[in-house]
Amino acid sequence: MTDAHTTGPFIAAIDQGTTSSRCIVFDRDGRIVAVEQKEHEQIFPKPGWVEHDATEIWENVQYVVAGAIEKAGITAADVKAIGITNQRETTLLWDKATGEPVHNAIVWQDTRTDALCKELGRNVGQDRFRRETGLPLASYFAGPKIRWMLDNVEGLRERAERGEILFGTMDSWVIWNLTGGTDGGVHVTDVTNASRTMLMNLRGLEWDPKILSSMQIPAEVLPKIRSSAEVYGTAKGGALDGVPVASALGDQQAALFGQTCFSEGEAKSTYGTGTFMLMNTGHEPVNSYNGLLTTVGYRIGTEKPVYALEGSIAVTGSLVQWMRDQMGLIKSAAEIETLASSVDDNGGAYFVPAFSGLFAPYWRADARGVIAGLTRYVTKAHIARAVLEATAWQTREITDAMTKDSGVELTSLKVDGGMTSNNLLMQTLSDFLDAPVVRPMVAETTCLGAAYAAGLAVGFWPDTAALRANWRRAAEWTPRMDAATRDREYKNWLKAVERTMGWIEDEE
Ligand SMILES: Nc1ncnc2c1ncn2[C@@H]1O[C@H](COP(=O)(O)OP(=O)(O)OP(=O)(O)O)[C@@H](O)[C@H]1O
Ligand SMILES: [Mg+2]
């Protein structure tokens, strides 16, 4: 697959995502040389519960790494560094001596810790740890998931306290295994992933002993917190034996990096399983008063950390998957566009996919999905349209909050991710935001960001300016909707959102 123009050396990026694991080999211009990808099983043991088999995930990672290297027609000697990016917050505990997970990984969308989060809020409520961590108490984050496992897996707390158990998000799990596992694997995480545990102090970038004790999590299980771009260790065995492992970033922060949003006020929105908009806010964390998260954007080596404001939407691409797999209304994700394009509008229907409650800007665990405005007129094509509009309206709610918190008006939005191949969605997004939407040439910004950070760490690229020079626009959509229509539709959307709330009552 190597084309005539591409010569080494290369950087390999591993993206351990929610639905699949990917490995992409990049050249010095940030162009894709080879890709391998493999999906893993989504395990739904009960309503609201979502798990992954971490052993399967590690096998898939090895498979995609070997596949990408083979497709590129290169060897480990051609690869200067490995970058890691990952689905965030998904939580795993494993046995240090055997490398065996003690339980399936609990995925970020899982809501089993709702009651625990309420209890942890005590009399203070959702914002009990917001000042330290930038996050509201919600089932989304890793800390309460660790606590759930310690409370629910027999004998686990004792083993953890004896130092026999390691915790990690998927970055830690992949790095530990890559660097040798039970044979000297390094147990680390980066600042961006650590900032999603609810256990790290945002300013000091260290585990917060007070929060650990409130959540009853023994410090023995925790990895070392490192920068996003630095050499953590060397790959041992496998297709990349001997190559330095030189970056880790949560997938959304990696996309921010891959979109080269290196200046304050620059933002991107990534459309995958969920949708996540991040805005670079510079070297100071900015508090949100409008339902956004404060998070670490990235930290290069020993430089000052860069912070971000984030709007997280739990369900966007996964709603399209749901239409395909659970409803059977389409056969492929791309078909949603064909179906939605067969009608001119939503026919009065609005679909609020509050499947895991509502994330930003509401943070309501008690919400559940609603299709509102149904009449006999509505067809599956209208529902398909409402599905796409749901992604665009949810983005609009986030950009409104972002403008209020940051004081920065949105002049255009950089987008990426699998859903951006949907033209109707991108046009709708531009219409609803009343702003241009631009997509770069390399829409795989998550892997690209991890590659960039790893390349910076080993001197493959000299600085962020060299990376900016690689960013190229591939497509742009501009608004075509009149203001009156937009305002009316937005009002209807907000009415539908109201109807999702309070569905789950306490005793349930
Ligand atoms: N043409 C399309 N129209 C609408 N949605 C689409 C289209 N193509 C893909 N999707 C959706 O985009 C998602 C896949 O995007 P992407 O590959 O960026 O996600 P991902 O990175 O694999 O997710 P994750 O990292 O969470 O595993 C799926 O949820 C899929 O339903
Ligand atoms: Mg992804």
Side-chain angles (χ1 to χ4, degrees):
M1 231 190 93
T2 318
D3 67 51
H5 311 290
T6 339
T7 52
F10 304 97
I11 302 286
I14 298 170
D15 175 4
Q16 200 305 290
T18 307
T19 49
S20 71
S21 303
R22 249 177 277 225
C23 178
I24 304 188
V25 176
F26 292 95
D27 69 9
R28 205 180 291 274
D29 297 326
R31 286 182 307 197
I32 293 176
V33 177
V35 187
E36 184 63 270
Q37 182 172 358
K38 196 163 198 262
E39 288 201 7
H40 55 265
E41 190 189 352
Q42 305 294 318
I43 303 163
F44 305 112
K46 295 187 190 184
W49 291 30
V50 190
E51 299 180 353
H52 291 159
D53 173 354
T55 305
E56 179 192 6
I57 283 181
W58 170 237
E59 281 166 8
N60 288 2
V61 167
Q62 292 170 279
Y63 172 88
V64 297
V65 166
I69 296 301
E70 195 193 317
K71 282 187 183 172
I74 61 175
T75 68
D78 302 311
V79 180
K80 291 300 154 211
I82 307 167
I84 311 292
T85 178
N86 57 289
Q87 53 168 324
R88 306 175 302 173
E89 301 99 8
T90 296
T91 299
L92 185 69
L93 292 168
W94 70 93
D95 185 310
K96 193 191 214 161
T98 65
E100 296 283 341
V102 300
H103 190 275
N104 277 337
I106 302 180
V107 177
W108 57 275
Q109 302 135 325
D110 189 291
T111 57
R112 80 185 66 184
T113 57
D114 278 346
L116 175 60
C117 286
K118 212 165 198 186
E119 184 191 314
L120 287 167
R122 284 206 255 134
N123 48 344
V124 186
Q126 208 167 33
D127 287 339
R128 180 169 173 210
F129 304 121
R130 201 191 257 271
R131 198 165 43 86
E132 296 86 348
T133 65
L135 311 172
L137 263 166
S139 62
Y140 182 21
F141 306 108
K145 297 184 200 285
I146 303 179
R147 162 73 178 272
W148 187 93
M149 284 199 234
L150 292 171
D151 287 350
N152 288 279
V153 178
E154 176 135 359
L156 188 59
R157 179 171 291 281
E158 294 67 33
R159 288 163 71 197
E161 280 164 359
R162 285 198 300 268
E164 295 167 15
I165 299 295
L166 302 179
F167 151 73
T169 38
M170 289 297 122
D171 53 319
S172 304
W173 173 241
V174 170
I175 295 170
W176 187 80
N177 279 298
L178 258 183
T179 56
T182 53
D183 181 18
V186 294
H187 188 218
V188 297
T189 188
D190 92 298
V191 284
T192 68
N193 277 295
S195 76
R196 317 296 292 194
T197 57
M198 253 203 145
L199 305 174
M200 186 187 79
N201 186 292
L202 261 187
R203 286 165 188 82
L205 303 178
E206 281 165 357
W207 302 120
D208 188 308
K210 277 211 195 96
I211 299 178
L212 290 179
S213 99
S214 307
M215 286 208 204
Q216 297 170 26
I217 293 173
E220 287 80 2
V221 302
L222 300 172
K224 273 214 166 53
I225 302 174
R226 305 276 293 263
S227 275
S228 318
E230 65 169 282
V231 176
Y232 311 121
T234 303
K236 223 183 239 181
L240 290 172
D241 186 41
V243 181
V245 182
S247 78
L249 292 140
D251 51 9
Q252 300 309 322
Q253 282 88 343
L256 185 75
F257 209 80
Q259 286 269 26
T260 67
C261 295
F262 300 133
S263 303
E264 212 174 312
E266 290 189 307
K268 68 85 201 178
S269 194
T270 301
Y271 294 86
T273 306
T275 287
F276 302 86
M277 179 172 168
L278 275 79
M279 178 186 277
N280 180 327
T281 62
H283 296 303
E284 289 300 323
V286 172
N287 293 326
S288 175
Y289 300 96
N290 294 285
L292 303 177
L293 308 178
T294 308
T295 199
V296 181
Y298 55 89
R299 183 182 190 194
I300 303 172
T302 55
E303 291 175 18
K304 279 196 223 161
V306 169
Y307 292 91
L309 274 172
E310 171 175 323
S312 331
I313 308 168
V315 178
T316 56
S318 58
L319 178 58
V320 176
Q321 282 172 6
W322 181 86
M323 290 283 284
R324 183 193 64 191
D325 302 338
Q326 258 103 321
M327 294 298 107
L329 288 172
I330 47 174
K331 284 191 213 68
S332 69
E335 232 179 79
I336 193 91
E337 184 171 2
T338 324
L339 184 56
S341 300
S342 69
V343 287
D344 292 332
D345 57 31
N346 59 24
Y350 300 82
F351 195 156
V352 187
F355 295 168
S356 317
L358 283 169
F359 283 21
Y362 302 103
W363 300 104
R364 289 284 296 256
D366 62 346
R368 284 299 178 269
V370 155
I371 304 177
L374 294 180
T375 60
R376 268 203 84 174
Y377 174 74
V378 171
T379 65
K380 63 181 177 178
H382 294 120
I383 300 292
R385 196 128 189 149
V387 160
L388 297 182
E389 292 185 353
T391 294
W393 283 130
Q394 291 184 98
T395 308
R396 169 66 193 266
E397 293 187 272
I398 300 300
T399 60
D400 285 356
M402 204 69 90
T403 302
K404 285 187 204 147
D405 274 336
S406 70
V408 180
E409 280 286 342
L410 185 76
T411 50
S412 80
L413 184 65
K414 285 178 164 181
V415 299
D416 54 76
M419 290 185 96
T420 61
S421 62
N422 188 314
N423 269 301
L424 176 60
L425 172 61
M426 292 299 104
Q427 182 57 50
T428 305
L429 186 59
S430 177
D431 288 342
F432 289 3
L433 298 179
D434 196 21
V437 168
V438 293
R439 191 182 62 203
M441 205 71 91
V442 177
E444 289 286 353
T445 52
T446 303
C447 269
L448 185 62
Y452 278 170
L456 284 178
V458 298
F460 184 79
W461 286 292
D463 50 30
T464 52
L467 303 177
R468 268 187 195 283
N470 287 341
W471 196 96
R472 275 182 199 84
R473 169 184 328 206
E476 176 161 354
W477 295 265
T478 49
R480 286 197 218 133
M481 183 175 260
D482 65 275
T485 309
R486 178 168 40 245
D487 293 350
R488 184 196 67 221
E489 288 297 306
Y490 196 13
K491 225 174 109 200
N492 284 343
W493 164 262
L494 292 171
K495 273 199 303 200
V497 170
E498 276 301 315
R499 282 163 173 74
T500 66
M501 300 196 189
W503 182 261
I504 301 290
E505 293 178 37
D506 257 352
E507 56 276 19
E508 296 177 58

